[in-house]
Amino acid sequence: MTTAEDALARAGTRLPASAVLPELVSVLGAAGRALLVAPPGTGKTTLAPLALADALDAADARDGRRGPARRVVVTEPRRVAVRAAAQRMASLLGEDVGGLVGYAVRGERRTGPRTRVEVVTTGLLLRRLQADPELPGVGAVLLDEVHERALDADLALALVVDVREVLRPDLLLVAASATPDQAALRRALAGALPPGAGAVAGASSAPATPGDGVPLVVATAPVHPLAVVHDPPPAGLDPPRGLRVDPRLLDHVAAAVRRALDAHPGDVLVVLPGAREIARVSSLVRAARPDVDVLALHGRTPRAEQDAALRAGPRRRVVCASAVAESSLTVPGVRVVVDAGLARVPRSDHARGLAGLDTVRVSRASAVQRAGRAAREGPGVVVRCWSEADDARLPPRPEPEVATADLAGAVLDLACWGSPRGEGLALPDHLPAGAVAAAEQALAVRGLLDAGGRATPLGRAVARTGVDPRLGRALLLGARAVGGRRAAEVVALLSEDGLLGRGAGPAGGDDVVATWRALRHGDDPARTSRWEQEVRRLRSALRGLERDGQERDGPERHGVARDEPARGGLGGGGGSAEAPGGAATSAGDEEAAGHVVALAHPERVARRRRSAAGGPGRDEVLLAGGTGARLLPGSAWAASGPTSGAAAHGAQQDWLAVALLDRPVGAVDAVVRAAAPLTEAGARAAAGPLLATTSEVVWDGGAGGDVVARRVERLGALVLAEARLPDPPRELLEAALLEGLRRGGLALLAPSEGAERLRQRLAAVRAALGDPWPDVSPEALLAGAQTWLAPELAGARRRADLARTDVAAALRRLLPWPQAARLDELAPERLPLPSGRGARLDYADPAAPVLAVRLQEVLGWEAGPRVADGRTAVVVHLLSPAGRPLAVTADLASFWRGPYAQVRAEMRGRYPKHAWPADPLGG
């Protein structure tokens, strides 16, 4: 094979990474794994794989190993970077791609029998590991751009480390980046669990300090000098929010590009967060500078345009790119990078099952990666559209995707690997428990995981499809229901970024069926080509599963019940004919699209909300998952309008299968971005796991509510039918009545005055003597209602039954025996007075009972009365003959000795017929 040195000679320069290649090969010979750190443009992606291939050849020759030469597999996070890296290595070897250097991405592979270095996407490596963990024929794996901390990259690192420890100790492993989290990655390379995790069984030989045993190889010299210019936008811009970026920032970026074209030589690379921003800035620059070529480079860019962006052109160029610009690729001619300073990251609302993208400030590590594109071929300049003060506040590196993304795919991959939830794997970071739980629930309801978190046969088959598990399930089950071609076409529409939703193309809007038909008709050739490529790949995956016998034993093999709708076999024609050439006819498109979308997202089966008048709502739906959502203005599914669902599909659409759903940052409701029509019967068929018929006996309402007993059929949160439950289970009735008491309080029992006085007397004794006298506070009685109201609850069915409760009798059940016999002694209802009359005590305050009495009736009482074995003084309210307050005292003796004389002097003249003796104790 042509050596790495030969490649350097062809390049006409010695890239800095070449200086550390001997060290890299040496440490790999000793340790088998290493972390390679090299600045952008130093040649690590181009030269290190070639050096590894040479090292494998030398080792095989030294050991006398016979057989095919071992390959080096290099991973890149994006397809465009895969192709670019392979093309660069092949050109240095003077070959075309597919010879000594090849590549493979989803749906495309260019390799041959001579291929020694194969560049693949990280996701494709994961699929290969699942298919055959031993990676036969592979001698080394180089994981590039690990600083991005993409979820696939973290998983691939953990799985390859596991393979090295268990199956392939000879497999060489290199993680490479310009700006990695060295501690986390070296720890993972060493096979150590994240901090706080338990020790791996049998890992006692690991270094005392995780990662210390993993060699670090660093290439420090930059290729060319790089000048940094800060060009902040004017003050007052709105911060990014969700997918929204202030248009004034984009205007500023376009102006910075124009200034860069005037001030500096060479092509300009502009880094922006997404396709929408790329389109805006491209338009502004193109209008202002017709003398330059403006090109776009992002994940949705057609292959031919991507290739054009990666080739030198006849005129100066401005290449507007997304975060793909951080990958290991060289954009020829670029000497200036204009960085908008923003990045798009995934965000998941696990509680509501919503996922989307958010726009955030770029990290320092990503800013370094972007800037490096300017100095790959000569001295360069990076123009950063933020201030030096903001630069100092940038986060050091991107937040790991595992902390923010939907984990359904990762959890299924780990379950298929035999490590549910990542247990025992050397992941750089823990999987968040909440996100894992949400993912497991989503997978379990689809039949992809069993109760123990292990992959079911259907789950294993779905994992092999190479798409999100939700879409993989829709592909397999949809093929049985609507035919393989139709299922593949709809799933390709859902899986390929940018094909659905407004802004995705010239037709369709938020109507999945209209978009599907537009793609079939080739309204946008570039989009149709991308879609057709994925359709072919998915149909090939279906045929591969069929060949491998995944369906040989019938539907139960994949956990599919026999009553699953199955109008056609795997890859069959489904419920309608297919036109010549295999394209499905238009008949039945609505049913097929709705069914496949609902299979993918059963929790997104939606029904239009009813209006206040009881009719269909206009622009709001409720999803089976319980989330409320609104339709976009002018939606194809609006109740009326020129492009309404009624016009396009023949009837008012009360039911929808939602394909795209997000919740804008700060919004209460989610927004439906794309949907397909559905019927109630179709919803029942596709979202069967969410169907449930339950007996519901609940307290409906608050203090004024009552028990409602009904049998309800639900599809998740959607009520399909309900009927009165004539004989509800007693335990459910009791639970509903107790809930009513919690909401309405003891007032629901309509206690009499006597019952309330009894409760107050018991409370007074409890306050004075404590146990075993019961706590009869309202809170305690409500908490213990199931005990002291047991006989009443056993016979009650509704609120009216509670109101007939003899509360006093129920309270007496709480009295301890034999102390109950002393209640009248300890807390008497009435006290005998010196006048010979009896007076009622008021126990409203259990710590201070009140006796309200005319002063003349207590003449002769030397000391005030006490209750509860003398522990509680009675507060005496002394009244005039007319019943007006004279004094309040808990110490009657002190009152006689002091204030009484003044009261007597004031009252004798007013009430001369009543006794006001000078000696109140002597009569």
Side-chain angles (χ1 to χ4, degrees):
M1 173 186 174
T2 306
T3 63
E5 286 75 13
D6 294 334
L8 280 170
R10 286 181 179 274
T13 182
R14 290 196 60 83
L15 297 171
S18 63
V20 300
L21 294 180
E23 179 187 358
L24 177 64
V25 171
S26 174
V27 299
L28 285 173
R33 51 197 167 187
L35 177 62
L36 173 60
V37 179
T42 53
K44 69 177 187 327
T45 303
T46 305
L47 299 180
L50 301 177
L52 291 177
D54 285 355
L56 292 175
D57 285 348
D60 290 345
R62 183 177 62 252
D63 298 340
R65 181 182 177 277
R66 296 184 178 182
R70 291 180 290 168
R71 284 179 291 122
V72 177
V73 172
V74 182
T75 67
E76 296 291 342
R78 300 172 184 85
R79 283 179 274 189
V80 63
V82 166
R83 298 187 187 100
Q87 182 61 51
R88 175 66 172 163
M89 280 187 275
S91 67
L92 289 179
L93 297 176
E95 293 198 359
D96 292 330
V97 172
L100 290 171
V101 179
Y103 72 81
V105 297
R106 195 171 77 178
E108 180 185 6
R109 186 173 187 180
R110 292 185 61 185
T111 60
R114 297 175 54 242
T115 298
R116 298 295 316 289
V117 175
E118 184 181 16
V119 191
V120 302
T121 56
T122 316
L124 188 56
L125 176 61
L126 285 175
R127 302 279 75 77
R128 292 183 181 179
L129 284 165
Q130 294 283 12
D132 191 341
E134 291 195 38
L135 293 179
V138 177
V141 174
L142 189 152
L143 304 173
D144 200 12
E145 306 300 356
V146 290
H147 74 280
E148 293 191 19
R149 296 301 310 279
L151 185 53
D152 278 355
D154 282 1
L155 289 180
L157 175 59
L159 298 193
V160 175
V161 168
D162 198 35
V163 167
R164 271 185 45 82
E165 293 182 347
V166 178
L167 300 174
R168 290 284 311 277
D170 63 308
L171 183 66
L172 304 182
L173 174 59
V174 178
S177 174
T179 54
D181 181 347
Q182 295 186 17
L185 290 168
R186 292 179 76 190
R187 181 183 63 245
L189 284 165
L193 299 184
V200 181
S204 58
S205 60
T209 302
D212 283 355
V214 175
L216 175 65
V217 180
V218 180
T220 57
V223 183
H224 300 288
L226 177 69
V228 178
V229 176
H230 288 277
D231 186 3
L237 268 62
D238 296 331
R241 187 179 179 88
L243 294 177
R244 186 184 184 281
V245 175
D246 193 322
R248 293 171 293 177
L249 174 62
L250 302 180
D251 294 344
H252 175 78
V253 171
V257 171
R258 296 194 296 271
R259 289 191 291 270
L261 287 169
D262 293 336
H264 306 287
D267 294 345
V268 178
L269 176 66
V270 190
V271 188
L272 295 153
R276 185 181 306 172
E277 294 76 22
I278 288 172
R280 166 132 180 124
V281 172
S282 296
S283 174
L284 293 172
V285 173
R286 193 176 287 114
R289 292 295 301 265
D291 57 316
V292 302
D293 293 328
V294 181
L295 305 173
L297 182 61
H298 54 79
R300 303 180 195 171
T301 307
R303 167 75 180 280
E305 294 181 27
Q306 290 182 0
D307 292 343
L310 298 177
R311 289 194 304 266
R315 302 196 301 172
R316 289 190 75 185
R317 302 182 307 153
V318 172
V319 179
C320 297
S322 65
V324 69
E326 298 174 32
S327 300
S328 294
L329 54 83
T330 298
V331 182
V334 168
R335 297 296 181 87
V336 182
V337 168
V338 176
D339 189 350
L342 299 176
R344 287 266 156 77
V345 297
R347 298 287 188 211
S348 289
D349 182 344
H350 302 297
R352 302 173 69 185
L354 300 178
L357 295 172
D358 194 14
T359 308
V360 299
R361 296 294 302 175
V362 70
S363 70
R364 185 169 293 108
S366 294
V368 169
Q369 291 280 349
R370 298 174 179 187
R373 309 302 118 181
R376 287 203 161 198
E377 298 180 337
V381 176
V382 58
V383 178
R384 290 175 169 164
C385 295
W386 62 89
S387 68
E388 293 186 61
D390 287 338
D391 193 76
R393 292 190 289 266
L394 292 180
R397 52 183 54 88
E399 189 174 14
E401 194 175 28
V402 69
T404 62
D406 170 61
L407 298 186
V411 168
L412 182 59
D413 281 339
L414 292 169
C416 291
W417 190 256
S419 299
R421 307 171 192 88
E423 295 167 0
L425 289 181
L427 291 162
D429 285 292
H430 287 291
L431 300 181
V436 169
E440 288 184 328
Q441 181 180 11
L443 295 169
V445 78
R446 290 167 171 81
L448 308 184
L449 292 184
D450 65 18
R454 296 175 293 269
T456 62
L458 176 61
R460 292 186 178 277
V462 163
R464 294 183 57 189
T465 62
V467 292
D468 178 275
R470 301 167 179 85
L471 302 183
R473 175 181 183 269
L475 176 67
L476 296 186
L477 302 189
R480 296 180 53 80
V482 304
R485 175 181 290 276
R486 286 177 181 273
E489 288 182 351
V490 176
V491 170
L493 179 58
L494 301 178
S495 66
E496 280 294 289
D497 183 39
L499 293 182
L500 269 182
R502 295 188 178 181
D510 61 352
D511 184 345
V512 170
V513 178
T515 304
W516 183 14
R517 288 170 175 161
L519 288 169
R520 278 204 198 126
H521 296 155
D523 294 351
D524 184 329
R527 294 172 68 246
T528 294
S529 175
R530 186 157 59 95
W531 171 70
E532 288 177 339
Q533 182 179 3
E534 179 64 1
V535 171
R536 289 192 294 270
R537 190 194 71 80
L538 292 173
R539 297 192 71 197
S540 176
L542 284 172
R543 289 191 293 268
L545 287 170
E546 194 172 32
R547 283 195 305 269
D548 292 347
Q550 294 291 338
E551 299 250 317
R552 185 177 302 145
D553 298 331
E556 287 83 3
R557 180 176 178 84
H558 283 169
V560 184
R562 284 196 178 275
D563 61 354
E564 181 78 19
R567 296 189 296 272
L570 188 67
S576 58
E578 293 189 354
T585 63
S586 61
D589 283 352
E590 291 87 351
E591 179 186 3
H595 187 74
V596 174
V597 172
L599 283 173
H601 303 291
E603 75 285 352
R604 294 188 194 167
V605 168
R607 186 173 62 189
R608 195 180 301 273
R609 289 186 187 272
R610 298 292 170 179
S611 67
R618 290 180 58 83
D619 59 358
E620 294 182 354
V621 296
L622 177 64
L623 278 65
T627 298
R630 57 182 174 83
L631 302 174
L632 291 167
S635 166
W637 309 112
S640 62
T643 61
S644 70
H649 300 288
Q652 168 69 46
Q653 279 303 136
D654 278 349
W655 289 86
L656 294 173
V658 177
L660 285 182
L661 181 76
D662 64 29
R663 182 169 62 88
V665 176
V668 175
D669 282 338
V671 175
V672 175
R673 301 288 180 185
L678 200 61
T679 62
E680 180 176 334
R684 289 173 178 269
L690 300 182
L691 276 173
T693 299
T694 57
S695 295
E696 293 185 356
V697 184
V698 298
W699 185 270
D700 188 10
D706 206 340
V707 174
V708 173
R710 60 190 177 186
R711 184 174 296 278
V712 182
E713 185 183 20
R714 295 180 183 274
L715 185 70
L718 304 175
V719 176
L720 302 180
E722 58 181 298
R724 179 178 172 273
L725 190 63
D727 190 18
R730 171 50 50 189
E731 63 274 12
L732 297 182
L733 273 173
E734 289 190 13
L737 290 166
L738 288 169
E739 177 61 25
L741 283 171
R742 280 189 284 271
R743 295 184 187 182
L746 296 176
L748 291 183
L749 302 175
S752 64
E753 291 184 13
E756 177 59 16
R757 287 197 298 269
L758 173 60
R759 188 196 69 78
Q760 292 173 354
R761 291 167 64 204
L762 288 170
V765 178
R766 165 79 178 184
L769 303 180
D771 291 335
W773 293 91
D775 183 354
V776 290
S777 65
E779 297 77 16
L781 288 175
L782 288 173
Q786 194 167 6
T787 300
W788 68 279
L789 285 175
E792 287 76 14
L793 290 171
R797 296 175 62 90
R798 56 186 62 87
R799 177 195 181 100
D801 296 330
L802 289 179
R804 288 191 288 269
T805 299
D806 184 343
V807 179
L811 286 173
R812 289 187 180 277
R813 297 188 198 115
L814 294 171
L815 297 182
W817 186 261
Q819 288 86 349
R822 297 190 63 207
L823 176 61
D824 289 341
E825 172 194 345
L826 296 172
E829 285 195 77
R830 303 178 70 85
L831 281 179
L833 304 175
S835 66
R837 191 177 69 86
R840 187 184 301 279
L841 282 169
D842 182 355
Y843 290 92
D845 182 350
V850 171
L851 175 67
V853 64
R854 290 182 177 88
L855 183 146
Q856 283 73 22
E857 294 194 88
V858 297
L859 291 171
W861 246 358
E862 182 176 359
R866 303 181 76 86
V867 296
D869 279 343
R871 300 189 185 193
T872 304
V874 174
V875 178
V876 181
H877 287 216
L878 296 170
L879 308 176
S880 72
R884 296 187 178 91
L886 295 177
V888 176
T889 181
D891 184 356
L892 197 56
S894 296
F895 172 76
W896 295 137
R897 292 192 299 269
Y900 172 69
Q902 182 178 352
V903 170
R904 175 176 178 267
E906 293 176 356
M907 294 294 109
R908 286 177 64 192
R910 188 176 300 178
Y911 301 101
K913 294 182 179 181
H914 293 77
W916 300 97
D919 181 6
L921 301 180

